[in-house]
Amino acid sequence: METKGTGRSPLWPLAVWAVTRAALLLSVFRVYVFPGPDVTSDVSVIYRGWYEVLRQGTFPLDDVTWQYPPAAALAILSPGALPFLSYAHAFFVLACLCDAVVLALLAYAARRPGRSARGVWVWVAGVPLLGPTVYARYDLMVTAVAVAALLAGARHPRAMGALAAVGALVKVWPALLLAGAVRRRAWVSAAVTGAGVALLFALSMPGAFAFLTFQRDRGTEVESLGALVFHVARHFGWRGEVLLNYGSVEFLGPWVDVVSGAALALTGIAFGWLLLWRLRARRLTGAVLADAALTAVLLFTVTSRVISPQYLVWLVGLAAVCLTHRASRMGPPALMIVAASLLTVLEFPAGFAHVVQSDGYGVTLLVLRNGLLVAATLGAARRLWRATVPPRPGAPAPPQAARTTETPVSS
């Protein structure tokens, strides 16, 4: 994508971004009604309700659907910066602005030596495939922070650590961006920033960490990997229910606690593998920092008992950062993530009624979407391991194409 020619002009991704984002805005502004349930109600009803509580200086302690770290309050309060718009409209405009910031960051990174414009196209194409949900949740705002952190990367470890800590205090998962970080400055910066922001919220707003106890009785969300067990079991007499619980549609009933426990065990195994990789990895370059972050978040996502549609924007953003590096090995997983994004919008919101009913169409969509995510996770883990862990004595060396000329990151 770096060769010259009209088809390679940087104006092309900008033009495609403008057209697709205009379509997203028309949808969330309800000029065009997207098939399925109204995804904007979370903003106009739930977020707006939280906004009214948060602006009083406290967290919504009486609402168990508030399941977020304290800095999430900043995202919920942000529409107040545009008082000339309604709450919902201001939120959508800010989401689009964050989308544009990510595009600008990726485009700037793509111009540096050893970089590629592939990541720009992953972002331009991947986000609109998720449909209007992507502008009707605050996950895009968190993703913008995560993308900025990873692009700071090895060159600015303190900035990366600080941004990762802030992101983690907004929605936890950006803590995984540090999976491949080797510079002590990144970890120290993350620890100091995280502790400082957490202390500020704890002292200034009651209930900053009440969210930690709000999820103990959750079931298994109907779009998760574990939910496939119950989608099939319903056709063989399983007597559970599908209910709105803790802000998402979940399976509740016999054996749900077992499947949820199995998901937690899988998460433990996945992070055990991640720790083993971190101990054995040696070829740690700037590209590996991004590849490791994507792999870690994929592991977190597929083993979770909840896979909400907006989670895919995390993966699209991280895949985009990976592919700004020519040396990244995450090309195939990134393509699977983009394909999974298309299947996600087909199952939510467009086909959510079929998913809730566990009919053939809904289950097929989930099997394909979750199958792609599992394949992307296993592929990313395998590629990360082979690119960074030296082979055992007597084992064949990795193929020449797997080697990189990037300078390893030092401490």
Side-chain angles (χ1 to χ4, degrees), residues 153-155 157 180-187 278 282-286 289 406-411:
R155 296 177 52 160
V182 295
R183 292 193 175 182
R184 287 186 292 272
R185 284 173 289 175
W187 289 93
R278 188 65 185 79
R282 293 295 180 269
R283 305 184 185 103
L284 297 173
T285 65
L289 182 68
E406 287 197 39
T407 304
V409 178
S410 64
S411 60

